[in-house]
Amino acid sequence: LANEGSGGGLGVEIAYGLTQMVTIYANFDGARINPKQGLDHNLGHADLGLHFYFLSPEQSTRPFVGVAATARNTTIVRGPSVAKATGPGITIDGGVKYFIKSGVALNGSVAFTFGKYNSVSVGALNRAIDVEATSARLTLGVVWFPGR
């Protein structure tokens, strides 16, 4: 698997406000990683979690923290060979949303995922593994809140 590295990507998040202070969300993102050593690879995360907001909903700035169950996937393609490693994790994140107008906010957050890769496949060969893995994600974006 990959060593330290970084790269850019894209993602989408869907959320539902359980209350004014708590949302449940599903996040899907992927990035192309260029490691210091090893091969370039694709890294994907799928999160299902909760965000807890501070300050009242009327405030233009809304800091938050969150926790999520995460599925992680790393894919390395070299010629005709494709290697995939997958595994579960727990994500802890925090950030701030700044509402530029009603229902539209700028979002900035940092997420750390801790867990393992527990399966690797190369072609038709599948194998159980036990490899600790940590990933960090910096997110900058625009959020739309329908009905707000």
Side-chain angles (χ1 to χ4, degrees), residues 48-127:
L48 180 60
L50 296 171
H51 278 148
F52 303 92
Y53 290 87
F54 303 99
L55 304 179
S56 74
E58 293 78 29
Q59 301 289 324
S60 59
T61 302
R62 301 278 318 270
F64 64 89
V65 295
V67 63
T70 302
R72 184 173 19 207
N73 179 324
T74 297
T75 304
I76 300 170
V77 178
R78 183 163 185 174
S81 298
V82 177
K84 293 182 181 182
T86 59
I90 296 292
T91 296
I92 299 170
D93 70 335
V96 65
K97 287 182 174 56
Y98 177 75
F99 285 84
I100 54 177
K101 67 179 198 172
S102 181
V104 179
L106 301 176
N107 181 71
S109 66
V110 176
F112 297 95
T113 301
F114 307 93
K116 296 182 177 206
Y117 285 104
N118 59 11
S119 174
V120 65
S121 65
V122 179
L125 175 65
N126 295 309
R127 186 146 194 164

Coordinates of all heavy atoms in Angstrom, one line a residue, residues 48-127:
L48 N -20.7 7.6 6.5 CA -22.0 7.8 7.0 C -21.9 8.2 8.5 O -21.3 7.5 9.3 CB -22.8 6.5 7.0 CG -24.3 6.6 7.5 CD1 -25.0 7.6 6.7 CD2 -24.9 5.2 7.4
G49 N -22.3 9.5 8.8 CA -22.0 10.0 10.1 C -23.0 11.1 10.6 O -24.0 11.3 10.0
L50 N -22.6 11.7 11.7 CA -23.3 12.8 12.3 C -22.4 14.0 12.4 O -21.2 13.9 12.8 CB -23.8 12.4 13.7 CG -24.8 11.2 13.8 CD1 -25.0 10.8 15.2 CD2 -26.1 11.6 13.2
H51 N -23.0 15.2 12.1 CA -22.3 16.5 12.4 C -23.1 17.2 13.5 O -24.3 17.2 13.5 CB -22.3 17.4 11.2 CG -21.2 17.0 10.2 ND1 -21.3 17.2 8.9 CD2 -19.9 16.5 10.5 CE1 -20.2 16.8 8.3 NE2 -19.3 16.4 9.2
F52 N -22.3 17.7 14.5 CA -22.9 18.4 15.6 C -22.4 19.9 15.5 O -21.2 20.2 15.5 CB -22.4 17.8 16.9 CG -22.7 16.4 17.1 CD1 -21.8 15.4 16.6 CD2 -23.9 16.0 17.6 CE1 -22.1 14.0 16.8 CE2 -24.2 14.6 17.7 CZ -23.3 13.6 17.3
Y53 N -23.4 20.8 15.4 CA -23.1 22.2 15.2 C -23.1 23.0 16.5 O -23.9 22.7 17.4 CB -24.1 22.8 14.2 CG -24.0 22.3 12.8 CD1 -24.6 21.1 12.4 CD2 -23.1 22.9 11.9 CE1 -24.4 20.6 11.2 CE2 -22.9 22.4 10.7 CZ -23.6 21.2 10.3 OH -23.3 20.7 9.0
F54 N -22.3 24.0 16.5 CA -22.3 25.0 17.6 C -22.8 26.3 17.2 O -22.9 26.6 16.0 CB -20.8 25.2 18.1 CG -20.1 23.9 18.5 CD1 -19.3 23.2 17.6 CD2 -20.4 23.3 19.7 CE1 -18.7 22.0 17.9 CE2 -19.8 22.1 20.0 CZ -18.9 21.5 19.1
L55 N -23.3 27.1 18.1 CA -23.9 28.4 17.8 C -25.3 28.2 17.3 O -25.6 27.1 16.8 CB -23.1 29.3 16.9 CG -21.6 29.5 17.4 CD1 -20.9 30.4 16.3 CD2 -21.6 30.2 18.7
S56 N -26.1 29.2 17.3 CA -27.5 29.1 16.9 C -27.6 29.1 15.4 O -26.7 29.6 14.7 CB -28.3 30.2 17.5 OG -28.0 31.4 16.8
P57 N -28.7 28.5 14.8 CA -28.9 28.5 13.4 C -28.9 29.8 12.7 O -28.7 30.0 11.5 CB -30.2 27.7 13.2 CG -30.4 27.0 14.5 CD -29.7 27.8 15.6
E58 N -29.2 30.9 13.5 CA -29.3 32.2 13.0 C -27.9 32.8 12.7 O -27.8 33.8 12.0 CB -30.1 33.1 13.9 CG -31.6 32.8 14.0 CD -31.9 31.6 14.9 OE1 -31.1 31.3 15.8 OE2 -32.8 30.8 14.6
Q59 N -26.9 32.3 13.3 CA -25.5 32.8 13.1 C -25.0 32.5 11.7 O -25.3 31.5 11.1 CB -24.6 32.1 14.1 CG -24.9 32.3 15.6 CD -24.7 33.8 16.0 OE1 -23.7 34.4 15.6 NE2 -25.6 34.3 16.8
S60 N -24.3 33.4 11.1 CA -23.7 33.2 9.8 C -22.6 32.2 9.8 O -22.3 31.5 8.8 CB -23.3 34.5 9.1 OG -22.3 35.1 9.9
T61 N -21.9 32.1 10.9 CA -20.8 31.2 11.1 C -21.2 30.0 12.0 O -21.6 30.2 13.1 CB -19.5 31.9 11.7 OG1 -19.2 33.0 10.8 CG2 -18.4 30.9 11.8
R62 N -21.1 28.8 11.5 CA -21.5 27.6 12.2 C -20.4 26.6 12.3 O -20.2 25.7 11.4 CB -22.7 26.9 11.6 CG -24.0 27.7 11.4 CD -24.9 27.8 12.6 NE -25.2 26.7 13.3 CZ -26.2 25.8 13.1 NH1 -27.0 25.9 12.1 NH2 -26.3 24.8 14.0
P63 N -19.6 26.6 13.4 CA -18.6 25.5 13.5 C -19.2 24.2 13.8 O -20.3 24.1 14.4 CB -17.7 26.0 14.7 CG -18.4 27.1 15.3 CD -19.5 27.6 14.4
F64 N -18.5 23.1 13.5 CA -19.1 21.8 13.8 C -18.0 20.7 14.0 O -16.8 21.0 13.6 CB -20.0 21.3 12.6 CG -19.2 21.1 11.3 CD1 -18.6 19.9 11.0 CD2 -19.1 22.1 10.4 CE1 -18.0 19.7 9.8 CE2 -18.4 22.0 9.2 CZ -17.8 20.8 8.9
V65 N -18.4 19.7 14.6 CA -17.5 18.5 14.8 C -18.4 17.3 14.3 O -19.6 17.4 14.3 CB -17.0 18.2 16.2 CG1 -16.1 19.4 16.6 CG2 -18.1 18.1 17.2
G66 N -17.7 16.2 14.0 CA -18.5 15.0 13.5 C -17.7 13.7 13.7 O -16.5 13.7 14.0
V67 N -18.5 12.7 13.5 CA -17.9 11.3 13.6 C -18.7 10.5 12.6 O -19.9 10.7 12.4 CB -18.1 10.7 15.0 CG1 -19.5 10.6 15.5 CG2 -17.3 9.4 15.1
A68 N -18.0 9.5 11.9 CA -18.6 8.7 10.9 C -18.0 7.3 10.8 O -16.8 7.2 11.2 CB -18.4 9.4 9.5
A69 N -18.8 6.4 10.4 CA -18.3 5.1 10.0 C -17.9 5.2 8.5 O -18.6 5.8 7.7 CB -19.4 4.0 10.1
T70 N -16.7 4.7 8.2 CA -16.1 4.9 6.9 C -15.7 3.6 6.2 O -15.1 2.7 6.8 CB -14.9 5.9 7.0 OG1 -15.3 7.1 7.6 CG2 -14.2 6.2 5.7
A71 N -15.9 3.6 4.9 CA -15.3 2.5 4.0 C -14.3 3.2 3.2 O -14.5 4.3 2.6 CB -16.4 1.9 3.2
R72 N -13.1 2.6 3.1 CA -12.0 3.2 2.3 C -11.6 2.2 1.2 O -11.5 1.0 1.4 CB -10.9 3.5 3.3 CG -9.7 4.2 2.7 CD -8.6 4.6 3.6 NE -8.7 3.9 4.9 CZ -8.2 4.5 6.0 NH1 -7.8 5.7 6.1 NH2 -8.3 3.8 7.2
N73 N -11.2 2.7 0.1 CA -10.8 1.9 -1.1 C -9.6 2.6 -1.7 O -9.6 3.8 -2.0 CB -11.9 1.8 -2.1 CG -11.6 1.0 -3.3 OD1 -10.5 1.0 -3.8 ND2 -12.6 0.3 -3.8
T74 N -8.5 1.8 -1.9 CA -7.3 2.3 -2.7 C -7.2 1.4 -3.9 O -7.2 0.2 -3.8 CB -6.1 2.2 -1.8 OG1 -6.2 3.1 -0.7 CG2 -4.8 2.6 -2.6
T75 N -7.0 2.0 -5.0 CA -6.8 1.3 -6.3 C -5.5 1.8 -7.0 O -5.3 3.0 -7.1 CB -8.0 1.6 -7.3 OG1 -9.2 1.2 -6.6 CG2 -7.8 0.8 -8.5
I76 N -4.7 0.8 -7.3 CA -3.4 1.0 -8.1 C -3.5 0.3 -9.4 O -3.8 -0.9 -9.5 CB -2.2 0.5 -7.3 CG1 -2.1 1.2 -5.9 CG2 -0.9 0.7 -8.1 CD1 -1.1 0.6 -5.0
V77 N -3.3 1.1 -10.5 CA -3.3 0.5 -11.8 C -1.9 0.6 -12.4 O -1.3 1.7 -12.4 CB -4.3 1.3 -12.7 CG1 -4.3 0.7 -14.2 CG2 -5.7 1.2 -12.2
R78 N -1.4 -0.5 -12.8 CA -0.1 -0.6 -13.4 C -0.2 -1.5 -14.6 O -0.3 -2.7 -14.5 CB 1.0 -1.0 -12.5 CG 2.4 -1.0 -13.1 CD 3.4 -1.1 -12.1 NE 4.7 -0.9 -12.8 CZ 5.8 -0.8 -12.2 NH1 5.9 -0.8 -10.9 NH2 6.9 -0.7 -12.9
G79 N -0.2 -0.9 -15.8 CA -0.4 -1.7 -17.0 C -1.7 -2.4 -17.0 O -2.7 -1.7 -16.6
P80 N -1.8 -3.7 -17.3 CA -3.1 -4.4 -17.3 C -3.5 -4.8 -15.9 O -4.6 -5.3 -15.7 CB -2.8 -5.6 -18.2 CG -1.4 -5.8 -18.0 CD -0.7 -4.5 -17.9
S81 N -2.6 -4.7 -14.9 CA -2.9 -5.1 -13.5 C -3.6 -4.0 -12.7 O -3.2 -2.9 -12.7 CB -1.6 -5.5 -12.8 OG -1.0 -6.6 -13.5
V82 N -4.5 -4.5 -11.9 CA -5.3 -3.6 -11.0 C -5.2 -4.2 -9.6 O -5.7 -5.3 -9.5 CB -6.7 -3.4 -11.5 CG1 -7.5 -2.5 -10.5 CG2 -6.8 -2.7 -12.9
A83 N -4.7 -3.5 -8.7 CA -4.7 -3.9 -7.3 C -5.7 -3.0 -6.5 O -5.7 -1.8 -6.6 CB -3.3 -3.8 -6.7
K84 N -6.5 -3.6 -5.7 CA -7.5 -2.9 -4.8 C -7.3 -3.3 -3.4 O -7.3 -4.5 -3.1 CB -8.9 -3.1 -5.3 CG -9.2 -2.6 -6.6 CD -10.7 -2.8 -7.0 CE -11.0 -2.3 -8.4 NZ -12.3 -2.4 -8.8
A85 N -7.3 -2.4 -2.5 CA -7.3 -2.7 -1.1 C -8.5 -1.9 -0.4 O -8.8 -0.8 -0.8 CB -6.0 -2.2 -0.4
T86 N -9.2 -2.6 0.4 CA -10.4 -2.0 1.0 C -10.4 -2.3 2.5 O -9.7 -3.2 3.0 CB -11.7 -2.6 0.5 OG1 -11.7 -4.0 0.7 CG2 -11.8 -2.3 -1.0
G87 N -11.1 -1.5 3.3 CA -11.2 -1.7 4.7 C -12.1 -0.6 5.4 O -12.4 0.4 4.8
P88 N -12.4 -0.9 6.6 CA -13.3 0.0 7.4 C -12.4 1.0 8.2 O -11.2 0.8 8.4 CB -14.0 -0.9 8.4 CG -13.0 -2.0 8.6 CD -12.3 -2.2 7.3
G89 N -13.1 2.1 8.6 CA -12.5 3.1 9.5 C -13.5 3.9 10.2 O -14.7 3.8 10.0
I90 N -13.0 4.7 11.1 CA -13.7 5.7 11.9 C -13.2 7.1 11.5 O -12.0 7.3 11.5 CB -13.6 5.5 13.4 CG1 -14.2 4.2 13.8 CG2 -14.3 6.6 14.1 CD1 -15.7 4.1 13.6
T91 N -14.0 8.0 11.1 CA -13.6 9.3 10.8 C -14.1 10.3 11.8 O -15.2 10.3 12.3 CB -14.2 9.7 9.4 OG1 -13.7 8.9 8.4 CG2 -13.9 11.2 9.0
I92 N -13.2 11.2 12.2 CA -13.4 12.3 13.1 C -13.1 13.6 12.3 O -12.1 13.7 11.7 CB -12.6 12.3 14.3 CG1 -12.9 11.0 15.1 CG2 -12.8 13.5 15.2 CD1 -11.9 10.7 16.2
D93 N -14.1 14.5 12.3 CA -13.8 15.7 11.5 C -14.3 17.0 12.3 O -15.0 16.9 13.3 CB -14.5 15.6 10.1 CG -16.0 15.7 10.1 OD1 -16.6 15.3 11.1 OD2 -16.6 16.1 9.1
G94 N -13.9 18.1 11.7 CA -14.4 19.4 12.3 C -14.2 20.4 11.3 O -13.4 20.3 10.3
G95 N -15.0 21.5 11.4 CA -14.9 22.6 10.4 C -15.8 23.7 10.7 O -16.3 23.8 11.8
V96 N -16.1 24.5 9.7 CA -16.9 25.6 9.8 C -17.7 25.9 8.5 O -17.1 25.6 7.4 CB -16.2 26.9 10.3 CG1 -15.2 27.3 9.2 CG2 -17.1 28.0 10.7
K97 N -18.9 26.2 8.7 CA -19.7 26.7 7.5 C -20.0 28.1 7.7 O -20.4 28.6 8.8 CB -21.0 25.9 7.4 CG -20.8 24.4 7.0 CD -22.2 23.7 6.9 CE -22.0 22.3 6.3 NZ -21.1 21.5 6.9
Y98 N -19.8 28.9 6.7 CA -20.1 30.4 6.7 C -21.2 30.7 5.7 O -21.0 30.5 4.5 CB -18.8 31.2 6.4 CG -19.1 32.6 6.4 CD1 -19.3 33.4 7.6 CD2 -19.2 33.3 5.2 CE1 -19.6 34.7 7.5 CE2 -19.5 34.7 5.1 CZ -19.7 35.4 6.3 OH -19.9 36.7 6.3
F99 N -22.3 31.1 6.2 CA -23.5 31.3 5.3 C -23.3 32.7 4.6 O -23.3 33.7 5.3 CB -24.8 31.2 6.1 CG -25.2 29.8 6.4 CD1 -24.6 29.2 7.5 CD2 -26.0 29.1 5.5 CE1 -24.9 27.9 7.8 CE2 -26.3 27.8 5.8 CZ -25.8 27.2 6.9
I100 N -23.2 32.6 3.3 CA -23.0 33.9 2.5 C -24.4 34.5 2.2 O -24.5 35.6 1.9 CB -22.2 33.7 1.2 CG1 -22.7 32.5 0.4 CG2 -20.7 33.4 1.6 CD1 -22.0 32.3 -0.9
K101 N -25.4 33.6 2.2 CA -26.8 34.0 2.1 C -27.7 32.9 2.6 O -27.2 31.8 2.8 CB -27.2 34.4 0.7 CG -27.2 33.3 -0.3 CD -27.6 33.9 -1.7 CE -28.1 32.8 -2.6 NZ -28.7 33.3 -3.8
S102 N -28.9 33.1 2.8 CA -29.8 32.0 3.3 C -29.8 30.8 2.4 O -30.0 30.9 1.2 CB -31.2 32.6 3.4 OG -32.1 31.6 4.0
G103 N -29.4 29.7 3.0 CA -29.4 28.4 2.3 C -28.1 28.1 1.5 O -28.0 27.1 0.9
V104 N -27.1 29.0 1.5 CA -25.9 28.8 0.8 C -24.7 29.1 1.7 O -24.6 30.2 2.3 CB -25.8 29.6 -0.5 CG1 -24.4 29.4 -1.2 CG2 -26.9 29.3 -1.4
A105 N -23.8 28.2 1.9 CA -22.7 28.4 2.8 C -21.4 28.0 2.1 O -21.3 27.0 1.3 CB -22.9 27.6 4.1
L106 N -20.3 28.6 2.6 CA -18.9 28.1 2.2 C -18.6 27.2 3.3 O -18.9 27.4 4.5 CB -18.0 29.3 2.2 CG -18.3 30.4 1.2 CD1 -17.3 31.5 1.3 CD2 -18.3 29.8 -0.2
N107 N -17.9 26.1 3.0 CA -17.6 25.0 3.9 C -16.1 24.8 3.9 O -15.4 24.7 2.8 CB -18.3 23.7 3.6 CG -18.0 22.6 4.5 OD1 -18.4 22.6 5.7 ND2 -17.2 21.6 4.1
G108 N -15.5 24.7 5.1 CA -14.1 24.2 5.2 C -14.0 23.2 6.4 O -14.6 23.5 7.4
S109 N -13.3 22.1 6.1 CA -13.2 21.1 7.2 C -12.0 20.3 7.0 O -11.4 20.2 5.9 CB -14.5 20.2 7.2 OG -14.6 19.4 6.1
V110 N -11.6 19.6 8.1 CA -10.5 18.6 8.1 C -11.1 17.3 8.7 O -11.8 17.4 9.7 CB -9.3 19.1 8.9 CG1 -8.2 18.1 9.0 CG2 -8.8 20.4 8.4
A111 N -10.8 16.2 8.0 CA -11.3 14.9 8.5 C -10.1 14.0 8.6 O -9.2 14.0 7.7 CB -12.3 14.3 7.5
F112 N -10.0 13.2 9.7 CA -9.0 12.2 9.9 C -9.7 10.8 10.0 O -10.6 10.7 10.8 CB -8.2 12.4 11.1 CG -7.5 13.7 11.1 CD1 -8.0 14.9 11.6 CD2 -6.2 13.8 10.5 CE1 -7.3 16.1 11.6 CE2 -5.5 15.0 10.4 CZ -6.0 16.1 10.9
T113 N -9.3 9.9 9.1 CA -9.9 8.5 9.2 C -8.8 7.5 9.7 O -7.7 7.5 9.2 CB -10.3 8.1 7.8 OG1 -11.3 9.0 7.3 CG2 -10.9 6.7 7.8
F114 N -9.2 6.8 10.7 CA -8.3 5.8 11.3 C -9.0 4.4 11.1 O -10.2 4.3 11.2 CB -8.2 6.0 12.8 CG -7.8 7.4 13.2 CD1 -8.8 8.4 13.4 CD2 -6.5 7.8 13.2 CE1 -8.4 9.7 13.7 CE2 -6.1 9.1 13.5 CZ -7.0 10.0 13.8
G115 N -8.2 3.4 10.7 CA -8.7 2.1 10.5 C -7.7 1.2 9.9 O -6.5 1.3 10.1
K116 N -8.2 0.2 9.1 CA -7.4 -0.8 8.5 C -7.8 -1.1 7.1 O -8.9 -0.8 6.7 CB -7.6 -2.1 9.3 CG -7.1 -2.1 10.7 CD -7.3 -3.5 11.3 CE -6.8 -3.4 12.8 NZ -6.4 -4.7 13.2
Y117 N -6.9 -1.7 6.4 CA -7.2 -2.3 5.1 C -7.3 -3.8 5.5 O -6.4 -4.3 6.2 CB -6.1 -2.1 4.1 CG -6.1 -0.8 3.5 CD1 -5.2 0.2 3.8 CD2 -7.1 -0.4 2.5 CE1 -5.2 1.5 3.2 CE2 -7.2 0.8 2.0 CZ -6.2 1.8 2.3 OH -6.3 3.0 1.8
N118 N -8.4 -4.5 5.2 CA -8.5 -5.8 5.6 C -8.7 -6.8 4.4 O -8.8 -8.0 4.6 CB -9.7 -6.0 6.6 CG -11.0 -5.6 6.0 OD1 -11.1 -5.3 4.8 ND2 -12.0 -5.5 6.9
S119 N -8.7 -6.3 3.2 CA -8.8 -7.1 2.0 C -8.0 -6.5 0.8 O -8.0 -5.3 0.7 CB -10.3 -7.2 1.6 OG -10.4 -7.9 0.4
V120 N -7.3 -7.3 0.1 CA -6.6 -6.9 -1.1 C -6.9 -7.8 -2.2 O -7.1 -9.0 -2.0 CB -5.1 -6.7 -0.9 CG1 -4.4 -8.1 -0.6 CG2 -4.4 -6.0 -2.0
S121 N -7.1 -7.3 -3.4 CA -7.3 -8.1 -4.6 C -6.5 -7.6 -5.8 O -6.3 -6.4 -6.0 CB -8.8 -8.1 -5.0 OG -9.2 -6.9 -5.4
V122 N -5.9 -8.6 -6.5 CA -5.2 -8.3 -7.7 C -5.8 -9.3 -8.8 O -5.6 -10.5 -8.7 CB -3.7 -8.5 -7.6 CG1 -2.9 -8.3 -8.9 CG2 -3.1 -7.7 -6.4
G123 N -6.5 -8.7 -9.7 CA -7.2 -9.5 -10.7 C -8.2 -10.4 -10.0 O -9.0 -9.9 -9.2
A124 N -8.1 -11.7 -10.2 CA -9.1 -12.7 -9.5 C -8.6 -13.1 -8.2 O -9.3 -13.9 -7.5 CB -9.3 -13.9 -10.4
L125 N -7.4 -12.8 -7.8 CA -6.8 -13.2 -6.5 C -7.3 -12.3 -5.4 O -7.0 -11.0 -5.4 CB -5.3 -13.2 -6.6 CG -4.5 -13.5 -5.3 CD1 -4.8 -15.0 -4.9 CD2 -3.0 -13.3 -5.5
N126 N -7.9 -12.8 -4.3 CA -8.4 -12.0 -3.2 C -7.6 -12.6 -2.0 O -7.5 -13.8 -1.8 CB -9.9 -12.2 -3.0 CG -10.6 -11.5 -4.1 OD1 -10.4 -10.4 -4.5 ND2 -11.5 -12.3 -4.7
R127 N -7.3 -11.7 -1.1 CA -6.5 -12.1 0.1 C -6.9 -11.2 1.3 O -7.0 -10.0 1.2 CB -5.1 -12.0 -0.1 CG -4.2 -12.5 0.9 CD -3.0 -13.1 0.3 NE -2.5 -13.9 1.4 CZ -1.6 -14.8 1.3 NH1 -1.2 -15.1 0.1 NH2 -1.2 -15.5 2.3

